[in-house]
């Protein structure tokens, strides 16, 4: 076999010097192998030419099987590598040139799971980075909202709340910690958000949202998330949002139930006053401190709100504009209600 090995080496080396493709060199070796097999079949045993090739027919057939296995493995490996390169190229293509310049290498890695999603991609992640979102309330609903918006890479997140962290909050307000009791909630939330994602801008407003600042503040943001727990606060947010043409993602929870909707009269959907034109009668809309609330419920509803915010900002999927999602945690049920805008609504009727 030494003589045949020398011939095979010469074929491979000459092909390399002539810059012949690997495939062509493999074809030449294949022809050499077939010629040897033909000799072993045609020539009688003991023939000098057979002696010069070395080995028996069985040995050459075994060598052929081993070679076929090697070539098959090499082909599969090349296909797998090619598929991986195709996937990587698709991922790179998803990050548009402008997005590549907008994001640092760390941000591209941080948001990779968003960028590879066809519904988000580089364009959607850029929209999140350029978005400005105001969250009213840093309590039960605000906790998951703020954490997930920060993790998602929303460029500017404002949070307004006048409350301080108390021990009774910690059963559900997971953005705060035991060590931060008595700290203003907006500053406690800022610490957790910055620890999660230091590349975003956070604007904490340690005060209550009032009539005199509502329109100016809400007008600075693209989207408002309402995590308050009183009808008066929600009505104030609704009026200011309608006046400034801003959509409001509103959530509410009580005991085991929650609801989420997107009020957006500027896009043809109802505002809150279309759905709830009057304040509820005393005792009909108690707060969580009055009725109690299961600890994980704000996490479920708040996370839904964060998801709907990402969808609204990126244009992904079908959102809750003009629809209300009702969640019953006790019975593990959800349902969707269709909401209609009222032409005679006292708040948005003249838009």
């Amino acid at each position: 076999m030494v003589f045949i090995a020398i011939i095979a080496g010469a074929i491979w080396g000459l092909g390399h010097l002539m810059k012949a493709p690997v495939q062509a060199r493999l074809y030449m070796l294949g022809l050499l192998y077939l010629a040897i097999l033909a000799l072993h079949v045609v020539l009688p045993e003991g023939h000098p030419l057979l002696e010069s090739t070395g080995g028996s027919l069985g040995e050459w057939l075994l060598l052929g099987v081993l070679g076929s296995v090697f070539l098959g493995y090499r082909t599969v490996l090349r296909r797998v590598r090619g598929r991986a390169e195709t996937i990587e190229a698709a991922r790179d293509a998803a990050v548009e040139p402008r997005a590549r310049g907008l994001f640092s290498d760390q941000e591209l890695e941080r948001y990779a799971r968003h960028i590879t999603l066809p519904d988000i991609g580089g364009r959607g992640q850029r929209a999140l980075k350029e978005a400005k979102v105001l969250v009213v309330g840093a309590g039960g609903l605000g906790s998951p909202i703020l954490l997930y918006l920060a993790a998602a890479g929303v460029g500017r997140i404002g949070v307004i709340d006048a409350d301080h962290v108390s021990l009774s909050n910690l059963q559900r307000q997971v953005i705060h910690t035991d060590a931060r009791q008595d700290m203003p909630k907006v500053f406690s939330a800022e610490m957790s958000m910055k620890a999660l994602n230091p590349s975003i801008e956070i604007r904490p407003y340690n005060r209550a949202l009032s009539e005199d600042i509502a329109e100016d503040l809400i007008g600075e943001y693209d989207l408002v998330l309402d995590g308050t727990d009183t009808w008066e606060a929600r009505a104030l947010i609704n009026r200011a949002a309608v006046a400034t043409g801003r959509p409001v993602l509103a959530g509410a929870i009580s005991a085991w139930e929650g609801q989420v909707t997107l009020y957006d009269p500027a896009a043809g959907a109802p505002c809150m006053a279309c759905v709830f034109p009057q304040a509820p009668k005393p005792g009909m809309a108690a707060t969580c401190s009055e009725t109690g609330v299961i600890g994980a419920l704000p996490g479920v509803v708040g996370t839904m709100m964060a998801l709907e915010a990402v969808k609204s900002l990126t244009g992904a999927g079908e959102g809750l504009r003009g629809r209300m999602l009702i969640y019953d945690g006790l019975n593990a049920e959800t349902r969707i209600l269709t909401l209609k805008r009222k032409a005679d609504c006292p708040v948005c009727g003249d838009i």
Side-chain angles (χ1 to χ4, degrees), residues 92-166:
D92 289 341
V95 186
E96 300 165 11
R98 183 181 168 191
R100 290 195 188 96
L102 188 67
F103 296 113
S104 66
D105 291 340
Q106 284 190 342
E107 286 177 313
L108 287 175
E109 183 174 356
R110 179 186 292 271
Y111 307 129
R113 299 302 183 273
H114 270 179
I115 293 171
T116 56
L117 275 175
D119 297 314
I120 302 294
R123 185 186 303 272
Q125 193 60 48
R126 186 178 74 238
L128 291 175
K129 186 179 178 67
E130 295 175 346
K132 296 172 286 186
V133 176
L134 177 67
V135 180
V136 186
L141 291 174
S143 290
I145 290 171
L146 291 166
L147 287 173
Y148 274 107
L149 291 185
V154 173
R156 181 195 295 176
I157 302 174
V159 51
I160 181 166
D161 197 317
D163 202 5
H164 291 66
V165 179
S166 66

Side-chain angles (χ1 to χ4, degrees), residues 200-266:
I200 61 173
E201 178 188 358
I202 302 168
R203 294 191 176 185
Y205 305 97
N206 183 28
R207 59 168 297 173
L209 185 68
S210 58
E211 197 80 50
D212 59 321
I213 68 166
E215 287 189 20
D216 288 339
L217 182 61
I218 288 175
E220 295 179 10
Y221 291 85
D222 305 312
L223 175 67
V224 181
L225 276 79
D226 180 0
T228 59
D229 61 358
T230 67
W231 189 89
E232 291 76 16
R234 294 171 186 155
L236 170 59
I237 294 169
N238 183 65
R239 291 193 300 272
V242 170
T244 54
R246 300 296 187 264
V248 177
L249 253 170
I253 54 173
S254 179
W256 291 86
E257 297 184 355
Q259 62 186 45
V260 184
T261 189
L262 178 61
Y263 297 124
D264 191 5

